[in-house]
Amino acid sequence: MLLMTMLPAAAIANEQEEGEELNIPEIVLHHLADDYEWHIVSDVSIPLPIIIRSGQTGEWHFCTASSLPDGFFFNPKAHGKIYEQMADGTESRPLDLSITRNVVQIWIVVAVLIVIFLSCARWYKKHDKTSNPPGGFIGAVEMLVMMINDDVIKSSIGEKHYRKYAPYLLTVFFFIFVTNLMGLLPIFPGGSNVTGNINITFFLAVCTFLAVNLFGNREYWKDIFWPNVPIFLKAIPIMPAIELFGVFTKPFALMIRLFANMMAGHAMILAFTCVIFLGWTLGPVMGTGLHLFSAIMLLFMNALELLVAFVQAYVFTMLSAVFIGLAHQEHEH
Protein backbone atom coordinates (compact mmCIF):
# COMPACT_ATOMS: atom_id res chain seq x y z
CA MET A 1 0.00 0.00 0.00
CA LEU A 2 2.52 2.57 -1.15
CA LEU A 3 0.02 5.41 -1.48
CA MET A 4 1.14 8.79 -2.84
CA THR A 5 4.42 7.36 -4.17
CA MET A 6 3.70 6.66 -7.83
CA LEU A 7 3.70 10.22 -9.17
CA PRO A 8 6.68 11.50 -7.13
CA ALA A 9 8.57 8.33 -8.02
CA ALA A 10 8.10 8.96 -11.73
CA ALA A 11 9.26 12.56 -11.45
CA ILE A 12 12.32 11.62 -9.40
CA ALA A 13 13.24 8.87 -11.82
CA ASN A 14 13.08 11.33 -14.71
CA GLU A 15 15.44 13.71 -12.92
CA GLN A 16 17.97 10.97 -12.33
CA GLU A 17 17.73 9.79 -15.95
CA GLU A 18 18.52 13.33 -17.06
CA GLY A 19 21.57 13.35 -14.79
CA GLU A 20 20.32 16.04 -12.50
CA GLU A 21 21.24 16.11 -8.83
CA LEU A 22 18.45 14.88 -6.55
CA ASN A 23 17.17 17.89 -4.59
CA ILE A 24 14.81 16.40 -1.99
CA PRO A 25 13.51 19.68 -0.47
CA GLU A 26 12.73 21.09 -3.92
CA ILE A 27 10.93 17.93 -5.00
CA VAL A 28 8.84 17.79 -1.80
CA LEU A 29 7.86 21.47 -2.02
CA HIS A 30 7.00 21.12 -5.71
CA HIS A 31 4.57 18.26 -5.09
CA LEU A 32 3.02 19.97 -2.07
CA ALA A 33 2.33 23.18 -4.01
CA ASP A 34 -0.71 23.86 -6.17
CA ASP A 35 -0.34 23.45 -9.93
CA TYR A 36 -1.87 24.54 -13.23
CA GLU A 37 -1.84 20.95 -14.55
CA TRP A 38 -2.91 17.63 -13.08
CA HIS A 39 -0.14 15.09 -13.65
CA ILE A 40 -1.44 11.58 -14.26
CA VAL A 41 1.85 9.76 -14.94
CA SER A 42 5.35 10.93 -15.77
CA ASP A 43 4.70 12.60 -19.16
CA VAL A 44 0.89 12.66 -19.15
CA SER A 45 -1.07 15.50 -17.56
CA ILE A 46 -4.49 17.12 -17.76
CA PRO A 47 -4.23 20.81 -18.71
CA LEU A 48 -6.31 23.09 -16.51
CA PRO A 49 -7.75 26.45 -17.62
CA ILE A 50 -5.61 29.47 -16.78
CA ILE A 51 -7.47 32.78 -16.37
CA ILE A 52 -5.23 35.79 -15.81
CA ARG A 53 -5.56 39.55 -16.18
CA SER A 54 -2.55 41.54 -17.31
CA GLY A 55 -1.53 44.26 -14.91
CA GLN A 56 0.08 46.15 -17.78
CA THR A 57 -2.65 46.17 -20.45
CA GLY A 58 -5.71 45.13 -18.42
CA GLU A 59 -6.51 42.35 -20.91
CA TRP A 60 -7.86 38.98 -19.82
CA HIS A 61 -6.10 35.86 -21.11
CA PHE A 62 -7.59 32.35 -21.25
CA CYS A 63 -5.04 29.64 -21.89
CA THR A 64 -3.32 26.54 -20.50
CA ALA A 65 0.14 25.97 -19.07
CA SER A 66 1.50 24.96 -22.49
CA SER A 67 0.16 28.08 -24.25
CA LEU A 68 1.02 30.86 -21.81
CA PRO A 69 0.90 34.29 -23.54
CA ASP A 70 4.05 36.29 -24.18
CA GLY A 71 5.18 38.29 -21.19
CA PHE A 72 3.93 35.74 -18.64
CA PHE A 73 6.04 33.02 -17.07
CA PHE A 74 6.03 30.49 -14.24
CA ASN A 75 8.20 31.79 -11.43
CA PRO A 76 10.13 28.92 -9.74
CA LYS A 77 10.94 31.21 -6.80
CA ALA A 78 7.19 31.54 -6.08
CA HIS A 79 6.40 27.79 -6.26
CA GLY A 80 5.55 27.95 -9.96
CA LYS A 81 2.99 30.77 -9.77
CA ILE A 82 2.39 32.89 -12.87
CA TYR A 83 4.19 36.24 -13.04
CA GLU A 84 4.22 38.98 -15.67
CA GLN A 85 7.26 40.75 -17.08
CA MET A 86 6.46 44.46 -17.00
CA ALA A 87 7.70 47.07 -19.49
CA ASP A 88 10.13 48.57 -16.96
CA GLY A 89 11.75 45.16 -16.38
CA THR A 90 10.08 44.39 -13.07
CA GLU A 91 8.12 41.22 -12.35
CA SER A 92 4.53 41.49 -11.14
CA ARG A 93 1.87 39.01 -10.06
CA PRO A 94 -1.20 39.37 -12.30
CA LEU A 95 -4.78 38.84 -11.17
CA ASP A 96 -5.01 35.06 -11.29
CA LEU A 97 -8.42 33.34 -11.34
CA SER A 98 -7.15 30.06 -12.77
CA ILE A 99 -8.80 26.70 -12.14
CA THR A 100 -5.87 25.02 -10.39
CA ARG A 101 -5.46 21.45 -9.20
CA ASN A 102 -6.66 22.26 -5.68
CA VAL A 103 -9.79 23.91 -7.06
CA VAL A 104 -10.62 20.86 -9.18
CA GLN A 105 -9.94 18.60 -6.20
CA ILE A 106 -12.43 20.60 -4.10
CA TRP A 107 -15.04 20.27 -6.86
CA ILE A 108 -14.46 16.51 -6.96
CA VAL A 109 -14.82 16.28 -3.17
CA VAL A 110 -18.06 18.27 -3.32
CA ALA A 111 -19.39 15.94 -6.04
CA VAL A 112 -18.47 12.89 -3.93
CA LEU A 113 -20.22 14.37 -0.89
CA ILE A 114 -23.36 15.13 -2.92
CA VAL A 115 -23.45 11.54 -4.17
CA ILE A 116 -23.00 10.20 -0.62
CA PHE A 117 -25.66 12.42 0.94
CA LEU A 118 -28.19 11.89 -1.87
CA SER A 119 -27.68 8.12 -1.66
CA CYS A 120 -28.36 8.22 2.08
CA ALA A 121 -31.38 10.51 1.59
CA ARG A 122 -32.81 8.15 -1.05
CA TRP A 123 -32.54 5.19 1.35
CA TYR A 124 -34.27 7.05 4.19
CA LYS A 125 -36.98 8.25 1.81
CA LYS A 126 -37.85 4.65 0.96
CA HIS A 127 -37.83 3.44 4.59
CA ASP A 128 -39.61 4.51 7.75
CA LYS A 129 -38.88 4.21 11.46
CA THR A 130 -40.19 0.65 11.58
CA SER A 131 -37.66 -0.57 9.00
CA ASN A 132 -34.45 -2.33 9.93
CA PRO A 133 -31.46 -0.01 10.35
CA PRO A 134 -29.30 0.45 7.24
CA GLY A 135 -26.24 -1.65 6.74
CA GLY A 136 -23.13 -1.43 4.63
CA PHE A 137 -22.07 1.98 3.39
CA ILE A 138 -25.31 3.75 4.41
CA GLY A 139 -24.96 2.32 7.91
CA ALA A 140 -21.35 3.51 8.15
CA VAL A 141 -22.36 7.05 7.16
CA GLU A 142 -25.20 7.00 9.70
CA MET A 143 -22.79 5.86 12.39
CA LEU A 144 -20.43 8.75 11.61
CA VAL A 145 -23.28 11.29 11.56
CA MET A 146 -24.68 10.07 14.89
CA MET A 147 -21.23 10.02 16.50
CA ILE A 148 -20.36 13.57 15.43
CA ASN A 149 -23.84 14.94 16.09
CA ASP A 150 -24.47 13.33 19.48
CA ASP A 151 -21.00 12.97 20.99
CA VAL A 152 -19.36 16.14 19.61
CA ILE A 153 -21.85 18.79 18.52
CA LYS A 154 -24.68 18.18 20.98
CA SER A 155 -22.44 17.62 23.99
CA SER A 156 -20.27 20.69 23.24
CA ILE A 157 -22.95 23.23 22.31
CA GLY A 158 -25.85 22.00 24.39
CA GLU A 159 -29.37 20.73 23.82
CA LYS A 160 -30.81 24.22 23.33
CA HIS A 161 -28.60 25.53 20.51
CA TYR A 162 -26.90 22.59 18.80
CA ARG A 163 -29.51 21.98 16.07
CA LYS A 164 -28.84 25.22 14.15
CA TYR A 165 -25.07 24.57 14.07
CA ALA A 166 -25.20 20.84 13.31
CA PRO A 167 -25.52 21.24 9.49
CA TYR A 168 -22.42 23.45 9.31
CA LEU A 169 -20.31 21.30 11.62
CA LEU A 170 -21.30 18.03 9.94
CA THR A 171 -20.49 19.54 6.55
CA VAL A 172 -17.08 20.67 7.82
CA PHE A 173 -16.33 17.22 9.23
CA PHE A 174 -17.22 15.31 6.06
CA PHE A 175 -15.50 17.85 3.81
CA ILE A 176 -12.20 17.63 5.72
CA PHE A 177 -12.43 13.84 6.11
CA VAL A 178 -13.18 13.10 2.45
CA THR A 179 -10.63 15.68 1.27
CA ASN A 180 -7.95 14.06 3.45
CA LEU A 181 -8.78 10.62 2.08
CA MET A 182 -8.75 11.86 -1.52
CA GLY A 183 -5.35 13.41 -0.89
CA LEU A 184 -3.95 9.96 -0.08
CA LEU A 185 -4.88 8.51 -3.48
CA PRO A 186 -1.76 8.23 -5.66
CA ILE A 187 -3.44 9.08 -8.98
CA PHE A 188 -6.29 11.13 -10.40
CA PRO A 189 -8.86 12.01 -9.04
CA GLY A 190 -6.82 12.25 -5.83
CA GLY A 191 -3.37 13.20 -4.68
CA SER A 192 -3.87 16.94 -4.24
CA ASN A 193 -2.69 18.57 -1.02
CA VAL A 194 -5.90 20.57 -0.32
CA THR A 195 -6.02 20.58 3.48
CA GLY A 196 -2.25 21.10 3.49
CA ASN A 197 -2.89 24.45 1.78
CA ILE A 198 -3.13 27.26 4.32
CA ASN A 199 -5.62 29.18 2.16
CA ILE A 200 -8.15 26.36 2.56
CA THR A 201 -7.67 25.99 6.30
CA PHE A 202 -7.83 29.80 6.63
CA PHE A 203 -11.26 29.85 4.98
CA LEU A 204 -12.54 27.04 7.23
CA ALA A 205 -11.22 28.85 10.31
CA VAL A 206 -12.92 32.10 9.19
CA CYS A 207 -16.24 30.25 8.87
CA THR A 208 -15.93 29.04 12.47
CA PHE A 209 -14.85 32.52 13.58
CA LEU A 210 -18.01 34.02 12.07
CA ALA A 211 -20.23 31.31 13.53
CA VAL A 212 -18.81 31.99 16.99
CA ASN A 213 -18.76 35.78 17.02
CA LEU A 214 -21.77 36.72 14.93
CA PHE A 215 -24.13 34.59 16.98
CA GLY A 216 -22.52 34.75 20.43
CA ASN A 217 -24.92 35.70 23.21
CA ARG A 218 -24.73 38.55 25.68
CA GLU A 219 -22.85 36.55 28.29
CA TYR A 220 -20.14 35.69 25.75
CA TRP A 221 -19.38 39.34 24.99
CA LYS A 222 -19.72 40.29 28.66
CA ASP A 223 -17.01 37.77 29.57
CA ILE A 224 -14.74 39.38 26.96
CA PHE A 225 -15.18 43.09 27.71
CA TRP A 226 -16.25 42.91 31.38
CA PRO A 227 -14.99 39.58 32.78
CA ASN A 228 -15.62 38.48 36.34
CA VAL A 229 -12.24 39.58 37.73
CA PRO A 230 -11.13 42.23 40.27
CA ILE A 231 -12.06 45.75 39.17
CA PHE A 232 -8.46 46.99 38.80
CA LEU A 233 -7.84 44.37 36.08
CA LYS A 234 -10.85 45.73 34.18
CA ALA A 235 -9.84 49.35 34.59
CA ILE A 236 -6.30 48.99 33.21
CA PRO A 237 -7.63 46.99 31.11
CA ILE A 238 -5.56 43.81 31.13
CA MET A 239 -8.12 41.04 31.10
CA PRO A 240 -10.39 42.53 28.38
CA ALA A 241 -7.35 42.87 26.10
CA ILE A 242 -6.35 39.25 26.77
CA GLU A 243 -9.89 38.00 26.19
CA LEU A 244 -10.24 40.00 22.97
CA PHE A 245 -6.90 38.62 21.77
CA GLY A 246 -8.27 35.13 22.42
CA VAL A 247 -11.14 35.77 20.02
CA PHE A 248 -8.61 35.72 17.16
CA THR A 249 -6.16 33.13 18.47
CA LYS A 250 -8.80 30.38 18.63
CA PRO A 251 -9.53 30.29 14.87
CA PHE A 252 -5.83 30.86 14.19
CA ALA A 253 -5.05 27.69 16.14
CA LEU A 254 -7.68 25.81 14.11
CA MET A 255 -6.10 26.99 10.87
CA ILE A 256 -2.50 26.13 11.80
CA ARG A 257 -3.34 22.77 13.41
CA LEU A 258 -5.06 21.35 10.34
CA PHE A 259 -2.61 22.88 7.86
CA ALA A 260 0.54 21.79 9.68
CA ASN A 261 -0.55 18.22 10.40
CA MET A 262 -1.73 17.46 6.88
CA MET A 263 1.21 19.14 5.17
CA ALA A 264 3.71 17.37 7.46
CA GLY A 265 2.22 13.96 6.69
CA HIS A 266 2.38 14.50 2.93
CA ALA A 267 5.92 15.87 3.21
CA MET A 268 7.12 12.82 5.18
CA ILE A 269 5.70 10.39 2.61
CA LEU A 270 7.32 12.30 -0.24
CA ALA A 271 10.63 12.51 1.61
CA PHE A 272 10.79 8.74 2.21
CA THR A 273 9.96 8.20 -1.47
CA CYS A 274 12.96 10.36 -2.38
CA VAL A 275 15.19 8.34 -0.04
CA ILE A 276 14.49 5.20 -2.09
CA PHE A 277 15.92 6.87 -5.21
CA LEU A 278 18.75 8.41 -3.24
CA GLY A 279 19.83 4.89 -2.27
CA TRP A 280 20.55 4.06 -5.91
CA THR A 281 23.64 6.27 -5.82
CA LEU A 282 25.11 4.78 -2.61
CA GLY A 283 26.04 1.32 -3.75
CA PRO A 284 24.30 -2.06 -3.31
CA VAL A 285 24.81 -2.53 0.44
CA MET A 286 23.87 0.96 1.63
CA GLY A 287 21.22 1.27 -1.08
CA THR A 288 19.49 -1.96 -0.08
CA GLY A 289 19.37 -0.87 3.55
CA LEU A 290 17.89 2.53 2.62
CA HIS A 291 15.34 0.88 0.31
CA LEU A 292 14.16 -1.47 3.03
CA PHE A 293 14.01 1.28 5.66
CA SER A 294 12.13 3.66 3.35
CA ALA A 295 9.63 1.00 2.29
CA ILE A 296 8.84 0.15 5.92
CA MET A 297 8.48 3.82 6.83
CA LEU A 298 6.25 4.44 3.80
CA LEU A 299 3.91 1.65 4.87
CA PHE A 300 3.85 3.04 8.41
CA MET A 301 3.30 6.65 7.30
CA ASN A 302 0.49 5.74 4.91
CA ALA A 303 -1.27 3.73 7.61
CA LEU A 304 -0.77 6.62 10.03
CA GLU A 305 -2.13 9.13 7.49
CA LEU A 306 -5.35 7.13 7.19
CA LEU A 307 -5.83 7.60 10.92
CA VAL A 308 -4.76 11.26 10.78
CA ALA A 309 -7.31 11.91 8.00
CA PHE A 310 -10.10 11.06 10.44
CA VAL A 311 -8.50 12.51 13.57
CA GLN A 312 -7.89 15.95 12.03
CA ALA A 313 -11.47 16.18 10.74
CA TYR A 314 -12.73 15.12 14.17
CA VAL A 315 -10.50 17.57 16.07
CA PHE A 316 -11.38 20.53 13.84
CA THR A 317 -15.10 19.80 14.24
CA MET A 318 -14.81 19.23 17.98
CA LEU A 319 -12.88 22.45 18.65
CA SER A 320 -15.28 24.43 16.44
CA ALA A 321 -18.19 23.01 18.43
CA VAL A 322 -16.48 23.83 21.72
CA PHE A 323 -15.84 27.44 20.65
CA ILE A 324 -19.45 27.81 19.52
CA GLY A 325 -20.65 26.29 22.79
CA LEU A 326 -18.59 28.79 24.79
CA ALA A 327 -20.36 31.59 22.89
CA HIS A 328 -23.73 30.31 24.13
CA GLN A 329 -23.06 29.78 27.82
CA GLU A 330 -25.89 30.83 30.09
CA HIS A 331 -25.36 33.19 33.02
CA GLU A 332 -24.46 31.35 36.22
CA HIS A 333 -25.91 32.79 39.43
Side-chain angles (χ1 to χ4, degrees):
M1 188 181 67
L2 297 180
L3 299 174
M4 282 197 65
T5 60
M6 297 169 60
L7 298 181
I12 299 167
N14 283 345
E15 286 193 5
Q16 287 199 328
E17 288 176 359
E18 296 170 2
E20 298 181 7
E21 184 179 353
L22 189 63
N23 190 331
I24 294 180
E26 182 179 346
I27 292 173
V28 171
L29 289 176
H30 171 73
H31 287 281
L32 288 177
D34 202 0
D35 202 353
Y36 296 95
E37 293 180 323
W38 199 311
H39 294 278
I40 305 301
V41 292
S42 177
D43 297 322
V44 179
S45 61
I46 300 175
L48 300 175
I50 294 177
I51 308 171
I52 49 178
R53 182 180 184 274
S54 172
Q56 188 166 246
T57 64
E59 296 180 2
W60 287 94
H61 298 275
F62 302 87
C63 57
T64 61
S66 60
S67 60
L68 206 61
D70 293 337
F72 296 91
F73 63 96
F74 297 103
N75 191 344
K77 298 179 181 180
H79 304 293
K81 296 297 183 182
I82 296 177
Y83 273 70
E84 181 180 8
Q85 188 74 39
M86 308 301 286
D88 58 359
T90 60
E91 299 174 356
S92 176
R93 184 93 163 89
L95 179 60
D96 191 348
L97 302 180
S98 304
I99 310 300
T100 61
R101 184 177 60 184
N102 282 348
V103 175
V104 177
Q105 181 75 90
I106 291 173
W107 289 353
I108 294 173
V109 170
V110 170
V112 170
L113 291 176
I114 291 174
V115 171
I116 292 173
F117 295 150
L118 290 181
S119 301
C120 295
R122 188 178 300 112
W123 187 94
Y124 286 106
K125 187 176 180 179
K126 295 179 180 179
H127 299 78
D128 54 25
K129 295 182 179 180
T130 61
S131 303
N132 292 327
F137 180 75
I138 305 296
V141 174
E142 181 183 282
M143 178 195 69
L144 279 176
V145 170
M146 292 180 63
M147 180 188 69
I148 299 300
N149 185 74
D150 296 343
D151 298 340
V152 177
I153 302 174
K154 187 176 180 180
S155 62
S156 299
I157 300 178
E159 181 76 29
K160 185 177 179 180
H161 301 285
Y162 86 95
R163 292 184 183 276
K164 59 184 178 182
Y165 295 103
Y168 162 68
L169 292 172
L170 285 169
T171 302
V172 167
F173 170 79
F174 279 100
F175 173 79
I176 296 175
F177 183 42
V178 174
T179 302
N180 291 346
L181 292 179
M182 293 288 288
L184 292 175
L185 295 178
I187 57 175
F188 182 85
S192 185
N193 184 37
V194 175
T195 47
N197 187 315
I198 198 166
N199 296 308
I200 306 300
T201 60
F202 171 77
F203 175 77
L204 294 174
V206 167
C207 291
T208 297
F209 173 81
L210 294 176
V212 171
N213 294 285
L214 290 182
F215 306 105
N217 61 13
R218 181 180 178 183
E219 294 300 322
Y220 169 71
W221 292 108
K222 178 180 177 297
D223 287 340
I224 292 175
F225 293 105
W226 199 253
N228 188 22
V229 294
I231 191 65
F232 72 90
L233 292 177
K234 301 176 186 178
I236 295 178
I238 297 177
M239 290 304 298
I242 295 175
E243 292 292 337
L244 185 61
F245 183 70
V247 170
F248 298 96
T249 57
K250 291 174 183 177
F252 180 79
L254 283 177
M255 175 186 70
I256 296 299
R257 182 189 299 272
L258 179 59
F259 159 72
N261 281 282
M262 298 313 302
M263 186 188 69
H266 285 252
M268 290 295 293
I269 291 174
L270 291 167
F272 283 119
T273 305
C274 292
V275 171
I276 293 177
F277 292 89
L278 184 63
W280 292 351
T281 63
L282 301 180
V285 177
M286 183 67 71
T288 302
L290 279 176
H291 292 168
L292 181 60
F293 171 75
S294 299
I296 294 174
M297 291 304 299
L298 279 171
L299 288 172
F300 171 75
M301 287 301 301
N302 278 283
L304 182 62
E305 281 296 294
L306 289 175
L307 176 63
V308 171
F310 171 80
V311 169
Q312 290 304 316
Y314 182 90
V315 169
F316 190 98
T317 307
M318 179 188 67
L319 291 178
S320 296
V322 169
F323 297 155
I324 293 173
L326 292 174
H328 290 278
Q329 285 186 334
E330 301 296 334
H331 178 68
E332 296 182 2
H333 295 281

